[in-house]
């Protein structure tokens, strides 16, 4: 499983989000490669899912079109419970839970 | 880069008129110490207009930052506690940590430690409850 954590610049918030996503996957006992990235770099990356803020997810959706990549909007990047809820949806969608 | 935030880069204030004023105040120690130019403050504020309030990473906590570039001279962090929350596009914020990154990697270890710190919601509330910067420094040294 490869997941992108995306923020506007790819330097600050996306690193924080990456850490929260990794923790969430660990708690589900699933291995995932989480890469932090900025919004301009998204189209070039092959990933199963993209996590970002609800505002940025809208932009990403327009950029990617119908790519089949699962998109999840996270309001608070350090909120483990919020991130876990989205990771759980992703695992269900991938039949991994 | 140092482990967390220098005590002289920490401030406690009563309130701020709006999030722009709060971010400018939070970044002031870095500006005065030559870590950033004034442009960086404008870039951080502009980033919120462009990308929304995603820098609010946890309840009452925001990490204002912008792209590494000319306006950052040295990688560093500064901290501001507001005794009264300020609104950041629908989110009340009382703890600001300004991130000034000179490049995209030099601050990664510090951010990883910050991420762990933020996942414990109690840590944020404990910093907000501090009466002086010495107490804040002590919490960060122990738990960050």
């Amino acid at each position: 499983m490869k997941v992108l954590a995306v923020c506007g610049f790819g330097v600050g918030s996306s690193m924080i989000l990456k850490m929260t996503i990794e923790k969430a996957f660990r708690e589900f006992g699933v291995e995932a490669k989480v890469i932090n990235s900025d919004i301009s770099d998204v189209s070039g990356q092959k990933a199963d899912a993209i996590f970002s803020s609800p505002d940025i997810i809208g932009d990403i959706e327009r950029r990617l079109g119908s790519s089949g990549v699962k998109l999840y909007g996270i309001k608070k990047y350090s909120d483990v419970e919020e991130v876990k809820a989205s990771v759980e949806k992703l695992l269900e969608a991938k039949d991994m839970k | 880069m140092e482990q967390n935030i220098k005590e002289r880069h920490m401030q406690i204030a009563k309130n701020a008129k709006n999030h722009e004023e709060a971010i400018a105040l939070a970044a002031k120690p870095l500006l005065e110490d030559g870590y950033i130019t004034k442009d960086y403050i404008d870039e951080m504020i502009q980033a919120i207009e462009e990308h929304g309030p995603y820098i609010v990473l946890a309840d009452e906590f925001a990490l204002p930052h912008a792209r590494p570039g000319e306006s950052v001279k040295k990688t560093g962090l500064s901290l501001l506690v507001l005794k009264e929350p300020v609104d950041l596009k629908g989110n009340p914020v009382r703890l600001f940590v300004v991130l000034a990154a000179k490049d995209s990697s030099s601050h990664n270890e510090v951010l990883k430690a910050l991420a762990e710190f933020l996942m414990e919601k109690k840590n944020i509330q404990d910093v907000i409850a501090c009466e002086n910067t010495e107490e804040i420094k002590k919490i960060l040294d122990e738990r960050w």
Side-chain angles (χ1 to χ4, degrees), chain B residues 71-134:
Chain B
S71 51
V72 180
K73 303 298 172 197
K74 195 176 166 188
T75 296
L77 298 162
S78 61
L79 178 150
L80 171 69
V81 171
L82 291 176
K83 286 294 159 192
E84 295 168 16
V86 71
D87 176 72
L88 204 161
K89 296 200 178 281
N91 306 280
V93 176
R94 286 202 287 169
L95 175 56
F96 288 85
V97 171
V98 171
L99 165 67
K102 203 171 155 39
D103 54 60
S104 58
S105 62
S106 61
H107 55 289
N108 276 355
E109 290 309 313
V110 172
L111 277 185
K112 283 181 188 167
L114 173 62
E116 298 284 354
F117 183 82
L118 293 176
M119 285 188 231
E120 286 297 329
K121 289 178 180 169
K122 183 176 181 295
N123 286 334
I124 296 169
Q125 291 309 316
D126 287 351
V127 170
I128 289 171
C130 285
E131 292 298 328
N132 55 57
T133 56
E134 204 175 307

Side-chain angles (χ1 to χ4, degrees), chain B residues 16-64:
Chain B
K17 271 207 298 281
N18 48 44
H19 76 266
E20 289 93 340
E21 190 186 272
I23 291 170
L25 178 62
K28 207 170 135 215
L30 297 180
L31 180 67
E32 287 174 348
D33 248 1
Y35 283 58
I36 57 170
T37 67
K38 211 183 159 300
D39 286 345
Y40 192 69
I41 295 174
D42 298 333
E43 289 163 21
M44 288 190 288
I45 292 167
Q46 186 54 36
I48 297 166
E49 295 306 317
E50 270 175 44
H51 301 299
Y54 74 90
I55 62 164
V56 182
L57 300 178
D59 288 339
E60 301 204 288
F61 176 89
L63 180 80

Side-chain angles (χ1 to χ4, degrees), chain A residues 7-13 15-16 18-20 23 26 38-39 53 55-56 59 75-80, chain B residues 47 51-54 56-59 63 65-68 91 99 104 107-108 111-112 114-116 118-119 121:
Chain A
C7 72
F9 306 117
V11 294
S13 322
M15 172 59 85
I16 304 274
K18 170 186 148 88
M19 297 286 293
T20 316
K23 186 181 174 74
R26 271 200 307 276
D38 74 84
I39 184 165
S53 69
D55 291 318
I56 293 176
D59 283 350
K75 284 205 205 89
K76 296 206 166 86
Y77 286 9
S78 282
D79 189 329
V80 183
Chain B
H51 301 299
Y54 74 90
V56 182
L57 300 178
D59 288 339
L63 180 80
H65 62 289
R67 197 181 295 280
N91 306 280
L99 165 67
S104 58
H107 55 289
N108 276 355
L111 277 185
K112 283 181 188 167
L114 173 62
E116 298 284 354
L118 293 176
M119 285 188 231
K121 289 178 180 169

